[in-house]
Amino acid sequence: MADWPYSTAAWARLRKAKLSETPLCETCAMRGRRVIAEAVDHIVSIASGGEAFPPIEGLRSLCTPCHSIKTNALDRAGGKGVAIKGCDVNGLPLDPDHPFLAGDNPLKGREAVDLRPAGSCNPQLVRDWGV
C-alpha cells in the first residue's frame, strides 16, 4: 500500500466514517453474505484519476479477499477486469462492468428469468425466442 494518502489523518477520518456508515463488505452483501469490512476502497483508483479523498459515495467497504480481487482485477497490470466475482440468483454476473453484460448481449438488463427445470419449459416462451 502506498504511503500517501493512506498515512494521513484525513484518510484515517474518511476511512473511519465509511466503515461506520457501511461496516459490512458491500461485495459480499451482493451475494447475500454478511462479512465485516476491513478495507475501504476507492471506487475509481487514484492511479486511474480518482480523488485521493473522495466523498463517501466514492468509496466502498470491502473485506480483505474482495479488496484483493478488485485490486488485482482492475488496478494491476494484466488484471482480468472482473472486480466482483459471482452471479446473482438469475445466473447473471454481479459485476455491472462484466464483459458478459457488455454490447448487444440479449440478457443485458433482464430482471428475471424462468427458473423452472428445463423439462417444464413454456412452449409460448420457446416460440417467442424463435426456437
Side-chain angles (χ1 to χ4, degrees):
M1 172 167 47
D3 289 334
W4 185 87
Y6 307 108
S7 61
T8 65
W11 176 256
R13 285 190 303 274
L14 188 56
R15 181 181 186 282
K16 183 177 180 180
K18 178 61 181 173
L19 289 174
S20 293
E21 179 183 278
T22 314
L24 299 177
C25 175
E26 294 178 51
T27 298
C28 287
M30 295 169 104
R31 297 182 192 114
R33 299 177 61 218
R34 296 174 50 92
V35 178
I36 298 291
E38 297 108 7
V40 173
D41 179 68
H42 288 81
I43 293 174
V44 178
S45 70
I46 297 169
S48 298
E51 299 177 52
F53 304 101
I56 292 280
E57 299 78 33
L59 299 170
R60 190 173 326 163
S61 296
L62 298 174
C63 64
T64 301
C66 287
H67 186 257
S68 295
I69 290 167
K70 185 266 183 182
T71 300
N72 289 329
L74 300 181
D75 302 333
R76 302 261 191 262
K80 304 270 188 220
V82 178
I84 302 171
K85 292 189 176 187
C87 296
D88 64 16
V89 295
N90 297 318
L92 298 175
L94 291 172
D95 189 337
D97 298 320
H98 193 286
F100 180 81
L101 299 175
D104 295 330
N105 187 313
L107 298 178
K108 185 175 183 176
R110 282 186 68 182
E111 293 298 321
V113 291
D114 190 348
L115 298 177
R116 293 177 295 175
S120 65
C121 98
N122 180 341
Q124 181 63 42
L125 182 61
V126 172
R127 279 193 298 278
D128 289 349
W129 277 87
V131 178

